[in-house]
Each structure stands twice: as structure tokens, then as C-alpha cells.
Amino acid sequence: MPTRKRPLIRYAVVGLGHIAQAAVLPAFAHARRNSRLEALVSDDPTKLRTLSSRYRIAGNYAYEEYDACLETVDAVYIALPNSQHAEFTVRAAAAGVHVLCEKPMAVTIEECERMLDACRQHRVKLMIAYRLHFEEINLKAADMVRRGRIGEPKFFNSSFAMRVRRNNIRTKRHLGGGTLYDIGVYCINAARYLFRAEPKEVMAISVNAGGAAFSDIDESTAALLRFDGERVAAFVTSFNADDVASYRIVGTKGQLHVDPAYEYAEGLAYELTIDGKTTRKRIGKRDQFAPELLYFSDCIINDREPEPSGEEGLQDVRIIQALYESAETGKAVTIPPFAKAKGPTGRQRIVRPGVEEPELVKVQSAHRTQR
């Protein structure tokens, strides 16, 4: 009896910036069970030539050839500047191609809604690449909070900062730059994820002491979110401060501190403190991108709706826009009602070993300094 061949989802990676080269392309080696890198899309011929040779990819396309590329694949991983997410998602959906899109989903609520409408209309899957929904430490943290290990969760706080290089796309407003879009979205999503609730009111203050390098965006933003159940979340993001990426959630019986919490280039760790006794856990570097690919491909093959969904991405953008509105007006902004965040599922518990960062081609990290 012949062996039944496993379904395989063919991907194009669209955009060959730092995240694509350092993490997404290498992740396909750990996702061979159901995912294959089929094509690359970029307007840089050197990147296309070098990376297609390295990964043995025959399908190389410029952005103007995107529609032709879509005829050869089942799914795209969109790793473009934030301002281009909507256009390339809508075009993929119209071609019947599924979309795994980097966070944030887009820059505006209207763009997110266009993406959702296009994917529904053409019956394709849309998932937002919140890699931490697949990361062991954060899955464990959500599980401990859900099971009541810290009692009733009362407040969340977080700090996420780095020193961003001058002229990086994150500092350009027209490309969707700004601290909330790039790193604040992690803090927002983590608070929603851990509380399993939605904010109903937000406030923010943005400051800029960084001079010309940050004149187009917020250099730093402090945010306050009021959740259902009289819970609060506070966080600060900055593009001009020393590296930090941690969060703490405090409950009526204990607290959980995750530090580092948002990284993919190193292992993560947490401290759980209950009645003055602290338990610590640290894991080594893991591949956070291969689990996304494996899970999303399974959703396509088995016709399941993926999580985190496009609706999840829309809610975070809705909150980001409200925070910037608050920072501009000096007033609290109400968030419309939204169904509570679903939280993790057992299918997201996928572990793959870390990968070494390959030699990068005409791209560098956003950080001015590395740890």
C-alpha cells in the first residue's frame, strides 16, 4: 500500500529585512513537517541572489512581480514595514493565498478592517505573528495566572526599551514607526493575554528628548490601561534608553516576574513568588518562528481558524491608536467593547531549538548596541 504523502504548505517570505533574515528564513528548517520556503520577494537583487542561493530557492520576485509570485505559493509571511501590511495582505487574499503577517497588523483601524474583509471574502486564513503566543515561558506564565497561582490578578506593569539606530524604519512615521507600534504592542498584547480581559479606557503621555533622530515619532511613551474587573496595566516604551524587556503581573496571593520577556535572540526566564517563596525557571534560546509556521500550516491544512487572529491584531491597533490620541489630547480615551482574548491552546505548545543568526545581507539590527 503506497505511503500517503503529507500536505505541505508553500510559503513566500515578502520583505527581506532584519526579522526575515535573522529569524523567519532559518525557521523553515525546523518547520519541514508541513511548511516549505518556496519564494522570496524583495526589490534588492543582492538580497535575492544571496539568500536564494543560501536557502536553495528558485522563486525570486521583485515587489512589482508580487502577483506572479502569488500564483506559485499557498501562503505568504509578510515581513514588510508596517505601512505596507494592508496592501500586501489584501492582494494575497484576492489571489486565494493565506497570510501570516508580522505585528502590528497594520497602522490604522481602517487598514486592519480592510485586511479582515478581504480575507473573509476570499476565504483565506489570516494570522498575526505574535510569536510569544508560541513561546514556552509566556505560555507557562499565562497558564499559571489562569490556574490562580498568584490569586486574582490585579495589576500588570512592563518596561520595553532599546536604543534604535538613526534612520531605522521604526523612526519614520510614514512607514508606521513609533514605539507603540513596534514594541508597545507586545506590552498591550501581554496584558490582555494574561488578564484574559479587554481594556475599557486608556491614557498615555509621549515625550521626546532625543532630538532630530526621533522628531517624527514618540521617543518614549508611558501608557495606562483600565481593564474590566477594575484591573490596571501600565507600561513604558522607549527607543532611546538602555535595553529592557520585562513584565510583572501581581495578584492577591503572589506575583510573576518575566525577565527577559519579549526577546527572540536569547532565552527567557521567570520568577514566581508566593508567600515570600520564589521559584525560578530559565530556558535557553528557542526558535519562536518555526512554531508559528507549523501551527499556521496546520490551520490551513485542517481548515481551523488560527489564533492570534486578525481580530486580535485589530484590537491591539485600536488600543495603540487610542493611546496616541490620549497622548495628543491629554485626555482618557474609551475603548469600544470587544470579546475577551481567547488565550493559548494546546496546539500552540510547539518547541523547537534555537537557531544561530546567519550572516545578514545588507541589513542590520535596529539596536544601536547589542547585549
Side-chain angles (χ1 to χ4, degrees):
M1 185 175 178
T3 302
R4 188 176 180 180
K5 193 173 182 180
R6 288 181 175 178
L8 200 62
I9 302 302
R10 302 165 299 163
Y11 283 82
V13 173
V14 186
L16 297 176
H18 183 267
I19 195 75
Q21 291 193 36
V24 180
L25 298 182
F28 280 93
H30 289 153
R32 291 192 181 104
R33 173 173 62 80
N34 61 12
S35 308
R36 184 175 74 204
L37 180 58
E38 187 80 9
L40 304 175
V41 183
S42 172
D43 265 356
D44 190 308
T46 302
K47 290 180 181 180
L48 287 174
R49 182 173 62 253
T50 305
L51 295 171
S52 63
S53 175
R54 179 183 298 170
Y55 293 101
R56 300 178 180 179
I57 305 303
N60 293 337
Y61 300 87
Y63 292 129
E64 65 181 16
E65 300 170 314
Y66 182 54
D67 292 333
C69 172
L70 293 172
E71 296 177 1
T72 70
V73 298
D74 307 301
V76 290
Y77 191 112
I78 295 179
L80 293 163
N82 302 337
S83 59
Q84 295 178 289
H85 289 184
E87 175 194 347
F88 281 77
T89 294
V90 170
R91 290 169 65 184
V97 172
H98 306 282
V99 179
L100 178 52
C101 182
E102 261 299 331
K103 58 81 210 156
M105 182 174 174
V107 181
T108 67
I109 294 168
E110 292 74 20
E111 287 179 339
C112 293
E113 290 174 339
R114 280 202 293 121
M115 294 164 72
L116 283 165
D117 289 344
C119 290
R120 290 190 192 110
Q121 178 184 347
H122 297 285
R123 298 183 180 180
V124 301
K125 308 295 184 190
L126 171 62
M127 187 172 104
I128 310 305
Y130 288 106
R131 53 187 169 77
L132 295 175
H133 284 225
F134 302 84
E135 192 282 317
E136 182 178 352
I137 290 290
N138 281 283
L139 284 170
K140 180 69 172 176
D143 186 58
M144 287 189 288
V145 173
R146 180 185 60 81
R147 291 190 291 114
R149 293 294 304 280
I150 64 170
E152 182 184 352
K154 301 298 290 185
F155 69 88
F156 167 98
N157 61 44
S158 182
S159 301
F160 199 177
M162 59 182 175
R163 284 176 282 190
V164 172
R165 297 179 190 275
R166 183 182 293 270
N167 293 323
N168 184 269
I169 61 171
R170 291 160 179 80
T171 68
K172 300 181 185 299
R173 183 183 295 272
H174 72 281
L175 295 178
T179 71
L180 294 182
Y181 284 113
D182 187 61
I183 54 181
V185 67
Y186 287 98
C187 307
I188 294 166
N189 196 258
R192 295 176 52 234
Y193 190 66
L194 291 164
F195 281 146
R196 292 201 175 194
E198 298 301 325
K200 55 186 180 182
E201 185 180 52
V202 303
M203 297 183 69
I205 298 173
S206 292
V207 296
N208 193 333
F214 303 102
S215 61
D216 207 26
I217 58 158
D218 57 311
E219 176 198 329
S220 303
T221 292
L224 185 64
L225 287 65
R226 182 188 186 104
F227 279 78
D228 290 340
E230 298 306 300
R231 292 166 287 184
V232 293
F235 67 84
V236 177
T237 54
S238 181
F239 279 166
N240 195 28
D242 195 31
D243 285 3
V244 62
S246 67
Y247 68 73
R248 186 186 303 270
I249 184 164
V250 181
T252 53
K253 295 180 180 178
Q255 59 183 282
L256 181 65
H257 182 210
V258 183
D259 183 17
Y262 305 120
E263 300 290 343
Y264 69 85
E266 60 180 291
L268 306 187
Y270 72 75
E271 292 184 351
L272 174 66
T273 302
I274 301 174
D275 296 329
K277 296 180 180 180
T278 299
T279 302
R280 297 177 176 86
K281 181 177 177 64
R282 176 176 289 275
I283 65 167
K285 180 180 177 181
R286 299 284 171 82
D287 185 343
Q288 298 175 10
F289 293 79
E292 290 183 302
L293 294 167
L294 288 162
Y295 170 83
F296 188 56
S297 292
D298 277 340
C299 288
I300 295 169
I301 292 165
N302 297 297
D303 194 23
R304 289 195 298 260
E305 286 306 307
E307 193 285 323
S309 64
E311 287 81 4
E312 180 90 356
L314 166 60
Q315 177 68 350
D316 284 336
V317 171
R318 187 181 285 123
I319 294 166
I320 288 170
Q321 287 203 284
L323 286 167
Y324 278 133
E325 179 184 342
S326 174
E328 185 174 341
T329 63
K331 298 178 181 179
V333 177
T334 300
I335 304 294
F338 179 77
K340 292 181 180 180
K342 294 179 181 179
T345 68
R347 294 190 179 98
Q348 291 167 301
R349 297 179 183 275
I350 305 170
V351 177
R352 292 295 183 271
V355 297
E356 293 299 318
E357 183 176 294
E359 182 178 351
L360 303 179
V361 181
K362 296 180 68 177
V363 73
Q364 56 186 189
S365 167
H367 291 65
R368 279 188 285 171
T369 57
Q370 296 293 317
R371 293 186 179 184

